[in-house]
Amino acid sequence: MFPDSINTLIAALGQLPGIGPRSAERIALHLVQASPDGVRALADAMVQARERTRFCDRCGALTDQSPCAICSDPRRDGTLLCVVERAVDLLRIEKTRAYRGRFHVLGGKISPLDGVEPKDLRIAALEQRLQAEPIQEIVLALGTDVEGDATSHYLAKRLARPGLKISRIAYGLPVGSGLEYADELTVSRALEGRREMHE
Amino acid sequence: MFPDSINTLIAALGQLPGIGPRSAERIALHLVQASPDGVRALADAMVQARERTRFCDRCGALTDQSPCAICSDPRRDGTLLCVVERAVDLLRIEKTRAYRGRFHVLGGKISPLDGVEPKDLRIAALEQRLQAEPIQEIVLALGTDVEGDATSHYLAKRLARPGLKISRIAYGLPVGSGLEYADELTVSRALEGRREMHE
């Protein structure tokens, strides 16, 4: 029913997160009737963002420079390190403006069913940072699902060192869910209510 | 908080219909972590679709050739002409597979408050088609809001000719709404239940 070029566009849009078939069609029909300059600007913005974005070598955050803006900001509290699963989770925490420490992105969580073992995560890099940086507290901000829980306990045990406090955000994070869908207040409260973990 | 290139992308995505700030962010973060080839393919699909899509000179449909596939399909019933507001509405009717006639896209509806007068719509072109084509029935498939209603009555009066039947789709179309949000069954029933209009 649609010209081929529109069908191709609908299929490509349908791959995006949260975009169902109906939304894809609606956006496609909007685009083919929008100003050509506007469409080209959007297309360019996509390609540019993808090409310029990389992961920070130190913390694993999404950035266009490495080390990233957070790692290289001297006003950040270098004694506090927040560990998150994915780069996206870091942004959720930044949005709360309730945290002034630095970050470490694990790159996932331990999940034997998905074949993700500790060695597949950035845990060795985290241990190196514990030696190189003046970190006094690690705040584990992983999801509260089974794997996130297991990963938190694994890390609490593996990272335990004399004089290092290991806490975990807790308050308000819905059980069985990840950070991605939590609102800013919930994440903010979860940070405030973090509790120290024991092996 | 985001690198500039991601902020630019989020702003551009937020201009799309049905995409709020949260969705725009989610899609942007997906894209900057997706395969570069996939992102480029999506960007190309947008630009290609926009460049290739035009309006059919005859009926006003979205097409990549003119006359469009519907206007040039000899299996279509040339005695039946369905009049819709926008090119998108035509696609809603095609989806029902309940209609085998041809189309005419008005390009809007009469709306004095928005400065849209009859001369701004493709009504003269519609009258030319009535002379050139073997049209026996016009099916008005405009929205059921005030302007759509007024436009239908205006057309019923202006297009009235001996031997020409003018009907209007009716059944099931929610009052105060346009074709864009109706499901296929509703549009299908509205077609079946069309009623002849009198001046």
Side-chain angles (χ1 to χ4, degrees), chain A residues 25 34 40 50-51 95, chain B residues 25 34 40 50-51 95:
Chain A
E25 191 182 301
R40 191 168 284 282
R50 180 63 191 87
E51 283 177 354
K95 274 205 164 172
Chain B
E25 191 182 300
R40 191 167 284 281
R50 180 63 192 88
E51 283 177 355
K95 275 204 163 175

Side-chain angles (χ1 to χ4, degrees), chain B residues 22 31 46 63 77 102 123 148 158 180:
Chain B
R22 192 80 179 248
L31 286 172
M46 282 182 184
T63 181
D77 181 354
R102 294 214 168 90
I123 300 174
R158 176 160 162 184
E180 191 175 356

Side-chain angles (χ1 to χ4, degrees), chain A residues 1-3 17 19 22 25 30-34 40 46-47 50-51 64 88 91-92 95 180 182, chain B residues 1-3 17 19 22 25-26 30-34 40 46-47 50-51 64 88 91-92 95 180 182:
Chain A
M1 174 197 343
F2 295 109
I19 304 292
R22 193 80 181 247
E25 191 182 301
H30 166 84
L31 287 172
V32 297
Q33 297 176 82
R40 191 168 284 282
M46 282 181 185
V47 172
R50 180 63 191 87
E51 283 177 354
D64 51 8
V88 174
L91 298 164
R92 286 268 159 266
K95 274 205 164 172
E180 190 175 357
Chain B
M1 172 197 342
F2 294 109
I19 304 292
R22 192 80 179 248
E25 191 182 300
R26 196 167 159 212
H30 166 84
L31 286 172
V32 297
Q33 297 177 84
R40 191 167 284 281
M46 282 182 184
V47 172
R50 180 63 192 88
E51 283 177 355
D64 51 8
V88 175
L91 298 164
R92 287 269 159 266
K95 275 204 163 175
E180 191 175 356

Side-chain angles (χ1 to χ4, degrees), chain B residues 3 11 24 31 39 60 65 82 87 96 108 113 148 157 172 175 179:
Chain B
L31 286 172
V39 174
Q65 59 186 53
C82 179
T96 69
L113 287 177
K157 192 162 187 174
V175 173
L179 273 167

Side-chain angles (χ1 to χ4, degrees), chain B residues 13 34 45-46 67 70 95 99 130 139-140 152 156 160 164 172 180 189:
Chain B
L13 288 168
M46 282 182 184
I70 295 172
K95 275 204 163 175
Y99 180 75
L130 286 178
V139 184
L140 299 175
S152 291
L164 179 69
E180 191 175 356
R189 291 224 173 119

Side-chain angles (χ1 to χ4, degrees), chain A residues 81-124:
Chain A
L81 189 75
C82 181
V83 177
V84 294
E85 288 174 24
R86 293 157 303 165
V88 174
D89 298 330
L90 181 160
L91 298 164
R92 286 268 159 266
I93 290 185
E94 278 297 279
K95 274 205 164 172
T96 68
R97 299 175 186 273
Y99 180 75
R100 295 300 300 164
R102 294 214 167 90
F103 290 94
H104 191 81
V105 179
L106 277 187
K109 52 198 169 188
I110 300 166
S111 175
L113 287 177
D114 300 318
V116 181
E117 296 173 44
K119 68 172 171 51
D120 301 317
L121 303 177
R122 299 180 66 248
I123 300 174

